[in-house]
Amino acid sequence: MKNKKFVNVLLGVLALMLVVGMAYQFTPNLGSLFNRQTGTPALKVNGETVTVEDLEALRRGNPVLSSADSGLLGDDFKTYVVAQKARQVLYIQAAKDIDVSRNDVNAEVTKVREQNNLTDNKAWTDALQGAGLTDAAFRKQVRDGLAVQRKVDSIKATAAPATDAEAQLYYTLNKDNFVSDARIVGRQIVVADEAKAKSLLAQVKAGGDFAALATANSTENKDRGGALGPLENGAPRPVAQVALPAEVGTAAFALTEGGVTDVIKSGGKFYIVKVEKFLAPAPKPFADAKTDVLTAVNEQKKNAAVEVWGDKLAADMKIEYIDLNWKAEDPTVAKVSGQNIPYSEVIGQVVGNEQFTGLLQQVPAEQAAQLVNGILKPQVVQSLIQGYAARTVAQDQKLALVGTRPELAAALAAYGARDVQVTDSDVQKYYQENLEQFKTPASGTVTEASFKDRAQAVAFRNSWTGGNFTQAATKAGGTVSERGAVTGGDGKLGEELNAAVFTATTLKTAGDGSLTDVVQVGTRYSVAYVADLKRATTQPLSAVRAQIEQQVLGTKKNEVGTAFVAKQVAALKPTDNLKTVLAAQEKRVTAAAPKPTTPATPTPGTPATPATGSDTPATGTPATPATDTPATETPAPETPATPAETP
């Protein structure tokens, strides 16, 4: 268990070092991050060997990638594993010029050991051995990780700072990201005695002057009549929710129409808050938001610089396959603006899709592959095309947009939908079409008394006016069933009794609740006693208008923005080769699949050839070798070096 935890921690530390920008959809497992320099060579990336064990470890470390090693999905996953591993190697190669001192490595190793309670040398070497590592190998990879991170930082440092035009446009398209907190104008009374607090609340509700009561009784802010904020021209300044204790703030900020809270206990004190005015969140002016805007735009420009750097590394990459079982097909799946989109990027987005993960748990791998090929991959390809085209579109439109491909595509959609507004007719239509979501169903606590004949049931209903319902109904010959808390239409009561309880208007008041009419349920007759009855209600449009406006606005912006981007990208005449790529893959995978063999029928009088201990293909027909990932044995780890060893 300790070793497993240790491996997970190392994963977190080193994945952060090696994951650059948006290069990975998944964090590879520990074994994939450490080149043990042992095992069976599978391929070379720019001359550097990657072993079968490296690739297998990466695949096994991801539950999605390890879910299939044959068929269409197995072929997809092999392509993705090779592409991901190659990108990792590229980053490490590109960071060879970065200096990382021995002290830097030692400090990082010490941090990992302390975080995992592995300061004892034996515990440390045992943990490393459990992960298949030596201390020297671990330190080398820590150095590589630090070098990559510093390389990335140096690339980010080359990004030009945000211009005023870039900042202004970003603000215009993202105003919802720069909104002031909700605030209230109000006063409070704080006392140490609950009885006193309740007495003061009663006085407030009876019309007492809140400020005067606060001045005379509150232990806080009494010098300004309990005002939450400093007085300005005689009136309290607005305050945010953080100005109040958590429980008090929650209650006060729920009074969006103003009002007075109940007595609230917090930290051994008792609070009463009067909300004089509620100020809803609102977009900040550009001048107030400019600092945050510049930070956001600068971060996008840094990410874009890393993306460009990574693309250049990939463009110059050379892969040589040694083990043909790991030869991966990564064809161009689409082209736009002179850019080729590799198929491995499509697979990466599929692997990272939560719906795909759920699908794998519900259907066989081959069925999942067909569904993904027909539905998800076409969507992913179109999304990638838009991302790759986004920079060209922004330049053609002369827009001061920056960021990575996905960020640019999202910004273009926001630009295309910048003028979208919601009309009153939009709100009315949505409200009418979705009325059910604004309804609160009826509810109550129900006890049913069932009788053999109608006369018994009617007599009991007419005679019972209160007291113990169960005892009275039982005495009258009924069978009582406690139905408990029931919501109208939830199926607990059955259609007849549900209608009698929640729909009928002829309930008879009895005791602390009501009695229903007598209704026939099957061959018996029932009357129900209902306590705590709450009738079904529908929120008026006025109460939900703001909610609807936001929902409708989001939907309209998405539709208009998507259409705008699609139109601009279509003008660039992109090509989508997905169908061709998938057809070629299916043909290749089918041809490589093992063929079932049919035993030859012996000629009469001729004895069958005895088995020789190996599968012998039919004469003249060579056996087709499988191209799926072969099972490999992971070599025993080297004996870990003493932790004191430093590279």
Side-chain angles (χ1 to χ4, degrees):
M1 181 60 71
K2 178 181 289 187
N3 285 352
K4 183 176 181 181
K5 179 181 178 183
F6 167 71
V7 169
N8 290 337
V9 171
L10 292 187
L11 268 172
V13 172
L14 294 165
L16 286 175
M17 296 177 186
L18 295 181
V19 174
V20 181
M22 302 184 68
Y24 303 121
Q25 300 293 331
F26 273 86
T27 299
N29 89 320
L30 185 66
S32 71
L33 293 177
F34 296 97
N35 181 4
R36 303 176 192 175
Q37 299 181 337
T38 60
T40 307
L43 52 92
K44 289 184 177 182
V45 178
N46 293 344
E48 183 168 335
T49 299
V50 174
T51 68
V52 169
E53 289 76 16
D54 291 331
L55 296 169
E56 284 286 6
L58 192 154
R59 185 177 65 83
R60 289 195 305 271
N62 185 305
V64 174
L65 298 177
S66 61
S67 64
D69 58 6
S70 62
L72 296 176
L73 285 185
D75 190 72
D76 274 352
F77 296 162
K78 178 172 68 174
T79 296
Y80 180 64
V81 165
V82 169
Q84 188 181 39
K85 185 63 185 178
R87 184 62 71 100
Q88 291 175 13
V89 173
L90 283 180
Y91 291 148
I92 295 173
Q93 291 173 341
K96 293 295 185 184
D97 61 328
I98 301 297
D99 181 56
V100 178
S101 72
R102 178 177 300 178
N103 288 340
D104 293 337
V105 174
N106 289 342
E108 195 66 39
V109 172
T110 298
K111 185 193 305 181
V112 172
R113 292 182 64 172
E114 290 176 347
Q115 289 175 342
N116 289 274
N117 296 319
L118 294 172
T119 53
D120 175 75
N121 286 346
K122 185 177 186 309
W124 171 244
T125 54
D126 287 347
L128 285 172
Q129 188 171 26
L133 299 169
T134 66
D135 182 79
F138 176 65
R139 289 172 184 273
K140 179 183 182 303
Q141 296 306 317
V142 167
R143 176 188 284 110
D144 287 342
L146 289 172
V148 170
Q149 185 57 63
R150 291 176 186 180
K151 185 70 173 182
V152 170
D153 291 341
S154 71
I155 297 298
K156 287 184 175 182
T158 65
T163 65
D164 287 343
E166 291 165 349
Q168 183 64 63
L169 183 54
Y170 184 89
Y171 168 79
T172 300
L173 301 180
N174 297 276
K175 285 185 178 180
D176 289 345
N177 294 344
F178 306 101
V179 177
S180 63
D181 293 330
R183 295 172 298 159
I184 59 172
V185 175
R187 300 175 185 271
Q188 67 178 356
I189 297 173
V190 185
V191 295
D193 182 72
E194 184 175 15
K196 183 176 181 179
K198 290 181 177 179
S199 173
L200 290 168
L201 178 61
Q203 294 177 58
V204 170
K205 290 184 174 181
D209 186 305
F210 195 98
L213 289 170
T215 299
N217 298 279
S218 183
T219 61
E220 296 182 20
N221 302 343
K222 63 188 302 178
D223 58 329
R224 59 193 192 205
L228 294 173
L231 295 178
E232 193 172 80
N233 298 324
R237 291 179 60 182
V239 298
Q241 188 166 337
V242 293
L244 295 166
E247 305 91 339
V248 182
T250 299
F253 277 75
L255 300 174
T256 56
E257 302 297 325
V260 179
T261 68
D262 288 330
V263 173
I264 304 164
K265 182 179 180 181
S266 179
K269 300 177 182 178
F270 298 89
Y271 292 74
I272 306 168
V273 178
K274 180 181 181 181
V275 178
E276 298 174 355
K277 184 186 295 184
F278 179 84
L279 303 174
K284 294 179 181 178
F286 177 69
D288 293 346
K290 188 172 182 179
T291 299
D292 291 336
V293 171
L294 289 173
T295 298
V297 176
N298 282 328
E299 190 61 29
Q300 284 192 335
K301 297 188 79 170
K302 291 175 182 178
N303 291 339
V306 174
E307 183 182 69
V308 171
W309 172 69
D311 288 347
K312 186 176 186 308
L313 291 178
D316 297 335
M317 176 177 62
K318 181 181 179 182
I319 298 181
E320 303 171 67
Y321 291 96
I322 301 170
D323 184 343
L324 295 185
N325 286 315
W326 274 99
K327 188 176 189 306
E329 300 291 339
D330 194 5
T332 295
V333 74
K335 297 181 180 181
V336 64
S337 300
Q339 302 170 92
N340 295 335
I341 303 174
Y343 181 56
S344 56
E345 283 202 38
V346 178
I347 304 170
Q349 293 206 14
V350 169
V351 169
N353 186 282
E354 291 183 0
Q355 292 180 334
F356 174 64
T357 303
L359 182 65
L360 284 177
Q361 299 172 353
Q362 300 174 33
V363 301
E366 283 308 299
Q367 186 178 345
Q370 295 299 334
L371 291 171
V372 169
N373 285 354
I375 301 173
L376 182 56
K377 285 182 182 176
Q379 296 173 357
V380 169
V381 171
Q382 289 305 306
S383 176
L384 287 171
I385 288 174
Q386 291 181 356
Y388 272 76
R391 199 175 306 280
T392 300
V393 173
Q395 291 170 351
D396 291 346
Q397 295 286 320
K398 295 180 171 55
L399 299 175
L401 297 176
V402 298
T404 60
R405 287 188 285 265
E407 288 170 340
L408 284 171
L412 282 174
Y415 176 80
R418 66 195 183 283
D419 296 326
V420 170
Q421 295 183 355
V422 177
T423 65
D424 185 64
S425 61
D426 291 332
V427 175
Q428 294 276 1
K429 180 181 179 183
Y430 185 93
Y431 181 73
Q432 293 299 328
E433 291 179 351
N434 298 275
L435 201 57
E436 287 300 317
Q437 77 179 65
F438 304 113
K439 290 183 176 180
T440 301
S443 63
T445 303
V446 178
T447 306
E448 177 189 6
S450 174
F451 297 87
K452 286 193 297 185
D453 59 66
R454 183 178 180 82
Q456 276 183 302
V458 170
F460 170 72
R461 182 182 189 274
N462 291 337
S463 63
W464 191 75
T465 58
N468 189 307
F469 178 81
T470 300
Q471 290 181 0
T474 302
K475 186 175 181 180
T479 301
V480 178
S481 299
E482 298 280 351
R483 298 305 188 105
V486 179
T487 300
D490 64 5
K492 287 184 179 180
L493 298 181
E495 186 176 345
E496 300 86 356
L497 203 57
N498 184 81
V501 172
F502 297 117
T503 305
T505 58
T506 54
L507 293 178
K508 170 189 172 184
T509 300
D512 295 327
S514 305
L515 287 176
T516 67
D517 285 336
V518 174
V519 295
Q520 184 172 356
V521 180
T523 59
R524 296 176 67 85
Y525 297 88
S526 294
V527 58
Y529 173 60
V530 190
D532 305 320
L533 177 64
K534 295 180 180 178
R535 293 292 186 182
T537 59
T538 301
Q539 292 176 281
L541 178 57
S542 59
V544 296
R545 176 177 289 276
Q547 171 189 339
I548 292 176
E549 286 177 347
Q550 287 301 310
Q551 198 156 350
V552 173
L553 180 63
T555 300
K556 291 183 70 173
K557 280 190 170 184
N558 182 61
E559 292 172 351
V560 174
T562 299
F564 171 79
V565 174
K567 180 179 178 181
Q568 300 302 318
V569 172
L572 299 176
K573 297 181 170 26
T575 58
D576 181 345
N577 303 319
L578 178 63
K579 289 184 179 179
T580 301
V581 169
L582 294 181
Q585 180 196 39
E586 184 163 9
K587 182 178 180 180
R588 181 178 68 253
V589 170
T590 300
K595 304 297 188 296
T597 57
T598 303
T601 304
T603 303
T606 302
T609 303
T612 61
S614 63
D615 292 331
T616 303
T619 303
T621 306
T624 304
T627 59
D628 294 320
T629 304
T632 58
E633 295 184 3
T634 303
E638 303 173 30
T639 303
T642 304
E645 177 185 342
T646 55

